C-alpha cells in the first residue's frame, strides 16, 4: 500500500457535537485504479477531488456500485468494524452483476483498516455515533461508447455519522412504482437504483409521507423494501420479512436482526409479506409494528402506513414492548462493544495498521 499522509488535517475544525452527516469527510481516502486487466497499487491519500471528464463512462452508462458500513469507537477508545466480510462479498456481487472487475479481499479489508486506523480520531463517540464508510467501484474510462469500460476506480471515503431518523416516520405503500424488477439489478447496490427511487419518493413526500414501502413490480401485492431499507413486519408476536431475491438487497443489518431475533427466541418468518395481510392485521388490531433497517439508519420505526388514499395508524409501543427497539439495542450494544459478541461480528482495528499492510 502506498501511503501519503495529509499535511493539513481538518480534524481541529471538526465538532463532534455539531456536524452534518454525509457532508463532513475525514482527512484521507483510499483509491486504486484498474487498467490493462488488473488492479494497480492501493493508495491511501489525502481526501479531495479527483479529475474526471463528463465523458467518463461511469457517469454516462451507470457502471457504479457501492457499499455502506460503519466503524465504532467504544468508551475506551477501541475501534471496531462490523461484519466487513459481508460488505466485501456484496460489493463483488454488485460488481459482477454490472460487468465490473471484482476487488480482492486484501484491497478491501486492508484498505478499510488502514483508513479507519489513520483517521480513528474522526470517529465520534457515544450513543448513535459512528463513522459511516463508503467503499465504491465506478468506471473511469473516457469514452462515449455503450460497452463495458476498460478502466475503473475502487475508492473508500468516510463521513462521521449520528442518529439518522430519531422519530417514527409515516410511509406510503406504493401501488404503482417499484424499486426493482425481475431480472434487473435490485440485489446489487447499483448507484442507478437510488437515482430511480428519488422521484417516487418525492411524490410520497408531497403527500405528507417521509418514505415509501416498495412493492413487487408485477402485482404490487407484496412488500419488498422500504426506501433504502429492508422491511420487517410484526403481527402479534411473530416477525415477518421478505426473502432476499434478485429484486431485494441482502442487507447486513437485515441479516443481523434475523440472527438476533432467533437468539432471543422471537419467532421470525422469512417469507413473502402480502400487502393485504398487513392491511387486514392493522384493521383487526394484530399489526403491532412495521419498521425498516439499514446501515445508515440502523432502525426506523413507522408510525403510519398510507395505502390507496387512507392513512393507517400503527400502535405506539414503549421501548420495552417494541421488538424493533429491543433488537436495535441488541445490535448497537454489540457494535459499540457494550455486550458480548457470540457471533464474532465485531472486528477490532488495531492501532498502527499501516505498519503491517
Amino acid at each position: 500500500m502506498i501511503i501519503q499522509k495529509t499535511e493539513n488535517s481538518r480534524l481541529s475544525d471538526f465538532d463532534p457535537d455539531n456536524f452534518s452527516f454525509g457532508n463532513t469527510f475525514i482527512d484521507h481516502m483510499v483509491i486504486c485504479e484498474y487498467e490493462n486487466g488488473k488492479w494497480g497499487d492501493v493508495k491511501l491519500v489525502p481526501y479531495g477531488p479527483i479529475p474526471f471528464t463528463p465523458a467518463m463512462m461511469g457517469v454516462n452508462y451507470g457502471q457504479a456500485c457501492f457499499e455502506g458500513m460503519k466503524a465504532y469507537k467504544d468508551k475506551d477508545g477501541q475501534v471496531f468494524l462490523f461484519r466487513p466480510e459481508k460488505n466485501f462479498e456484496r460489493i463483488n456481487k454488485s460488481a459482477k452483476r454490472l460487468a465490473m472487475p471484482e476487488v480482492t479481499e486484501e484491497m478491501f479489508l486492508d484498505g478499510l483498516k488502514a483508513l479507519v486506523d489513520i483517521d480513528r480520531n474522526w470517529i465520534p463517540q457515544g450513543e448513535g455515533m459512528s463513522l459511516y464508510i463508503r467503499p465504491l467501484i465506478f468506471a473511469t474510462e473516457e469514452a462515449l461508447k455503450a460497452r463495458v469500460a476498460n478502466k475503473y476506480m475502487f475508492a473508500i471515503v468516510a463521513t462521521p455519522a449520528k442518529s439518522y431518523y430519531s422519530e417514527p416516520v409515516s410511509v406510503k405503500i406504493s401501488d404503482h412504482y417499484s424499486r426493482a424488477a425481475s431480472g434487473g439489478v435490485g440485489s446489487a447496490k447499483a448507484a442507478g437504483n437510488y437515482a430511480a427511487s428519488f422521484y417516487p419518493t418525492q411524490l410520497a413526500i408531497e403527500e405528507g409521507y417521509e418514505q415509501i414501502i416498495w412493492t413487487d413490480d408485477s402485482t404490487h401485492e407484496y412488500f419488498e423494501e422500504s426506501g433504502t431499507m429492508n422491511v420487517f413486519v410484526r403481527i402479534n408476536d411473530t416477525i415477518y420479512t421478505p426473502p432476499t431475491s434478485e429484486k431485494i438487497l441482502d442487507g447486513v443489518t437485515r441479516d443481523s436482526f434475523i440472527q438476533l431475533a432467533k437468539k432471543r427466541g422471537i419467532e421470525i418468518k422469512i417469507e413473502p409479506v402480502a400487502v393485504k395481510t398487513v392491511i387486514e392485521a392493522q384493521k383487526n388490531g394484530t399489526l403491532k409494528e412495521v419498521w425498516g433497517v439499514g446501515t445508515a439508519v440502523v432502525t426506523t420505526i413507522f408510525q403510519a402506513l398510507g395505502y390507496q388514499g387512507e392513512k393507517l395508524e400503527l400502535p405506539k409501543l414503549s421501548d420495552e414492548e417494541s421488538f424493533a427497539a429491543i433488537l436495535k439495542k441488541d445490535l448497537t450494544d454489540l457494535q459499540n462493544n457494550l455486550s458480548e459478541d457470540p457471533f464474532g461480528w465485531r472486528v477490532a482495528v488495531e492501532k498502527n495498521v499501516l505498519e503491517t499492510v
Side-chain angles (χ1 to χ4, degrees):
M1 183 179 294
I2 297 172
I3 311 296
Q4 181 187 346
K5 294 185 180 181
T6 184
E7 296 179 356
N8 300 294
S9 174
R10 292 168 284 105
L11 185 60
S12 60
D13 297 325
F14 173 59
D15 180 357
D17 298 317
N18 184 26
F19 67 91
S20 175
F21 168 72
N23 298 107
T24 303
F25 294 95
I26 63 175
D27 281 331
H28 297 87
M29 62 184 180
V30 170
I31 58 173
C32 183
E33 295 184 82
Y34 180 95
E35 191 173 1
N36 299 321
K38 62 180 181 180
W39 289 104
D41 294 323
V42 178
K43 301 175 183 178
L44 191 151
V45 299
Y47 176 82
I50 300 171
F52 293 113
T53 81
M56 184 174 76
M57 291 180 70
V59 173
N60 287 276
Y61 303 111
Q63 274 189 295
C65 68
F66 64 87
E67 277 299 310
M69 52 195 306
K70 287 180 176 178
Y72 305 85
K73 183 181 287 182
D74 71 10
K75 58 182 177 57
D76 298 318
Q78 295 184 85
V79 173
F80 301 90
L81 296 170
F82 181 72
R83 307 188 73 180
E85 75 288 347
K86 297 286 286 184
N87 298 97
F88 166 68
E89 292 168 3
R90 193 171 63 182
I91 198 169
N92 277 340
K93 180 179 178 181
S94 298
K96 184 175 182 179
R97 178 61 182 83
L98 296 173
M100 298 194 294
E102 298 179 31
V103 297
T104 67
E105 187 171 12
E106 183 180 28
M107 285 170 58
F108 189 87
L109 296 180
D110 286 356
L112 274 174
K113 291 178 180 178
L115 181 64
V116 170
D117 179 38
I118 198 170
D119 281 341
R120 62 175 56 232
N121 291 334
W122 280 89
I123 306 174
Q125 203 169 14
E127 184 176 356
M129 309 294 264
S130 61
L131 182 71
Y132 181 85
I133 308 168
R134 171 61 57 85
L136 62 158
I137 307 171
F138 53 97
T140 58
E141 184 181 353
E142 183 182 18
L144 297 182
K145 299 179 180 180
R147 57 161 169 78
V148 172
N150 293 314
K151 297 180 182 180
Y152 298 87
M153 177 170 284
F154 168 66
I156 309 175
V157 297
T159 175
K162 49 192 171 185
S163 295
Y164 206 85
Y165 292 118
S166 56
E167 300 296 330
V169 300
S170 298
V171 295
K172 179 184 177 182
I173 300 173
S174 177
D175 56 5
H176 176 69
Y177 293 103
S178 294
R179 193 191 77 89
S182 297
V185 294
S187 62
K189 280 187 77 72
N193 288 348
Y194 295 79
S197 74
F198 294 154
Y199 176 68
T201 304
Q202 256 184 344
L203 296 179
I205 290 171
E206 289 170 6
E207 293 182 40
Y209 298 95
E210 284 88 3
Q211 261 302 349
I212 285 180
I213 290 182
W214 303 106
T215 52
D216 67 287
D217 63 297
S218 56
T219 68
H220 297 289
E221 293 178 357
Y222 294 92
F223 280 20
E224 291 199 332
E225 294 188 12
S226 178
T228 58
M229 303 174 286
N230 292 113
V231 65
F232 287 81
V233 173
R234 174 186 170 190
I235 298 176
N236 289 319
D237 287 336
T238 300
I239 297 173
Y240 299 84
T241 192
T244 57
S245 67
E246 63 183 3
K247 297 189 292 180
I248 297 177
L249 195 69
D250 187 6
V252 178
T253 308
R254 171 190 176 275
D255 182 72
S256 302
F257 260 65
I258 291 169
Q259 301 306 322
L260 289 166
K262 289 178 178 179
K263 182 176 181 295
R264 275 191 171 268
I266 298 172
E267 184 176 15
I268 185 161
K269 294 185 177 181
I270 303 168
E271 62 186 40
V273 177
V275 174
K276 179 181 178 181
T277 300
V278 176
I279 300 303
E280 288 178 350
Q282 192 277 338
K283 301 285 189 184
N284 64 33
T286 58
L287 181 64
K288 303 301 182 185
E289 297 179 87
V290 184
W291 69 93
V293 303
T295 299
V297 302
V298 185
T299 307
T300 300
I301 296 173
F302 303 153
Q303 64 183 1
L305 306 176
Y307 186 60
Q308 296 185 341
E310 189 176 5
K311 194 169 188 177
L312 308 171
E313 300 292 332
L314 295 174
K316 296 179 180 178
L317 304 180
S318 69
D319 286 351
E320 291 73 25
E321 298 171 312
S322 166
F323 285 179
I326 289 168
L327 294 173
K328 176 184 178 180
K329 186 176 188 306
D330 286 349
L331 179 61
T332 56
D333 281 356
L334 192 155
Q335 290 169 331
N336 288 283
N337 198 26
L338 296 173
S339 67
E340 295 299 318
D341 178 13
F343 306 99
W345 289 343
R346 211 163 42 225
V347 177
V349 178
E350 304 297 339
K351 288 187 178 181
N352 302 316
V353 167
L354 294 176
E355 296 178 2
T356 62
V357 297

